[in-house]
Amino acid sequence: HAVIVTTMSIGAVVRLSALPPAAQFDAPSSAFPTSLPDIAMVANGSHVFFCFLLVDTIVTFARKAMTTDYFAHHVIFTFSCVLIQYECFAGQLAACLLLMEISTIFLNGFSFFRHRLGYGHWWVKLSFILFATTFMVFRLFGTTYIAISFASEVFRGV
């Protein structure tokens, strides 16, 4: 899922960043026709992510592996998906949130190979370094930036 949703959102983030805030954070509009394909792509990516969340929640409960923090994590992201999909707004915000999943690609590589190849293997080390880097860039700095941008535009009345 992580490869799919990041691929679906990375181009949209770049193209929507060049548009006015109303095109980035408001509902899709014919006033900004160039934004419509990107917003549609992000909406589709959001649906893919939403389906992953539902399946992952069910499987984790079925395996009796669900923890309170993991469940809270899923509930928050499920609520975000439903809100953005229902109201069909904030394409740039949704695209940036989907980009957080890029770190999941490397986390999965690290988690899968660390016990098969050992912690000393170059692939395991590289996966962890790429995970840590993308986590910092996209999950910490990226979400902070987009949250501030979104909040400032809401404050301005966009």
Side-chain angles (χ1 to χ4, degrees):
H1 86 279
V3 173
I4 294 169
V5 298
T6 55
T7 302
M8 294 176 85
S9 60
I10 197 159
V13 167
V14 171
R15 289 184 293 276
L16 288 171
S17 294
L19 297 175
Q24 295 176 10
F25 300 119
D26 207 354
S29 166
S30 59
F32 304 103
T34 58
S35 70
L36 298 179
D38 289 321
I39 292 172
M41 182 67 77
V42 170
N44 290 335
S46 177
H47 284 287
V48 170
F49 183 70
F50 181 66
C51 291
F52 163 77
L53 282 174
L54 291 178
V55 170
D56 192 49
T57 302
I58 292 166
V59 168
T60 307
F61 266 119
R63 294 181 62 221
K64 297 182 180 18
M66 184 61 74
T67 60
T68 304
D69 60 330
Y70 197 62
F71 182 69
H73 175 265
H74 277 55
V75 167
I76 290 167
F77 279 104
T78 299
F79 177 74
S80 299
C81 283
V82 170
L83 179 67
I84 288 172
Q85 290 170 12
Y86 180 77
E87 292 294 331
C88 197
F89 76 104
Q92 180 73 339
L93 174 64
C96 287
L97 291 175
L98 289 175
L99 273 183
M100 289 192 307
E101 289 301 302
I102 200 163
S103 66
T104 302
I105 299 166
F106 304 110
L107 176 62
N108 288 344
F110 171 75
S111 298
F112 185 79
F113 288 110
R114 66 184 171 180
H115 295 300
R116 288 165 178 82
L117 301 175
Y119 285 95
H121 194 273
W122 68 268
W123 178 253
V124 174
K125 290 179 182 180
L126 179 63
S127 294
F128 183 78
I129 290 168
L130 290 173
F131 162 69
T133 302
T134 55
F135 186 92
M136 293 285 290
V137 169
F138 291 98
R139 290 188 183 249
L140 298 181
F141 301 133
T143 55
T144 301
Y145 169 76
I146 197 63
I148 291 169
S149 296
F150 182 68
S152 68
E153 293 306 325
V154 168
F155 182 72
R156 289 184 197 145
V158 170

